[in-house]
Amino acid sequence: MIQRVQSLYLAIVFVLSVLSFFFPLAIFECSGYDAASYNLIPETVSENATFIPQQTIAWNAIAFPIAIGLLSLVAIFMFKNRMRQVRFVAVAFLLSVIYAGFLFLWIIDSQSSALMAQGVNVTKTIYGLSCYFPIAQIILLILAQQAIKKDEKLVRSSERLR
């Protein structure tokens, strides 16, 4: 059962959670600077670029991808207990929805405000690739949920035939 399509969906969700640490959440174009980038893991910076200090990274921005990734990874190996797998996927889905809203409504806005408080004039905010990962995860988790329920329905119908 581990070779089912829902395992592929959940594996992709896990990979997206890991990749969210390596791509920027947002890039702020600032007057007088090259760019200010907001990443979950700080990178080395060039002299002209301004990066948001490490202490302004919210713990929630790090905790959500870790929790979503771990839940999806654990759900892959719960193929023998499909109802528990459905619950794990539902919790990961809920966390993904909260994380997506959290990213777009709070983190990006607060980081832009933090830059302005440092005296940097933010002219444009560009959402980074990591900002779109929760949306992809939501879609993949819905597909995984449907595939798990389809498997459960198939197993129950085959048990009725016995």
Side-chain angles (χ1 to χ4, degrees), residues 2 4-21 23 65 68-77 89 92 96 132-144:
I2 204 165
R4 297 283 189 196
V5 69
Q6 63 262 24
S7 297
L8 179 65
Y9 294 145
L10 293 170
I12 294 171
V13 168
F14 175 74
V15 169
L16 288 175
S17 293
V18 171
L19 288 177
S20 67
F21 289 97
F23 291 102
I68 293 165
L70 287 176
L71 282 170
S72 64
L73 188 64
V74 169
I76 290 172
F77 297 104
V89 171
S96 293
Y132 297 107
F133 287 165
I135 297 168
Q137 288 174 333
I138 290 169
I139 294 167
L140 290 167
L141 288 168
I142 289 171
L143 293 173

Side-chain angles (χ1 to χ4, degrees), residues 104-154:
F104 286 107
L105 297 177
W106 186 76
I107 288 185
I108 308 261
D109 184 50
S110 69
Q111 298 310 315
S112 177
S113 300
L115 278 175
M116 289 183 177
Q118 294 173 7
V120 177
N121 185 20
V122 177
T123 57
K124 186 176 181 183
T125 301
I126 302 168
Y127 294 110
L129 192 57
S130 281
C131 219
Y132 297 107
F133 287 165
I135 297 168
Q137 288 174 333
I138 290 169
I139 294 167
L140 290 167
L141 288 168
I142 289 171
L143 293 173
Q145 186 97 352
Q146 289 174 347
I148 295 167
K149 287 181 180 179
K150 183 179 174 185
D151 274 358
E152 181 65 24
K153 185 177 176 183
L154 180 69

Side-chain angles (χ1 to χ4, degrees), residues 39-50:
N39 294 348
L40 293 179
I41 298 177
E43 300 174 354
T44 57
V45 292
S46 64
E47 295 82 35
N48 298 348
T50 304

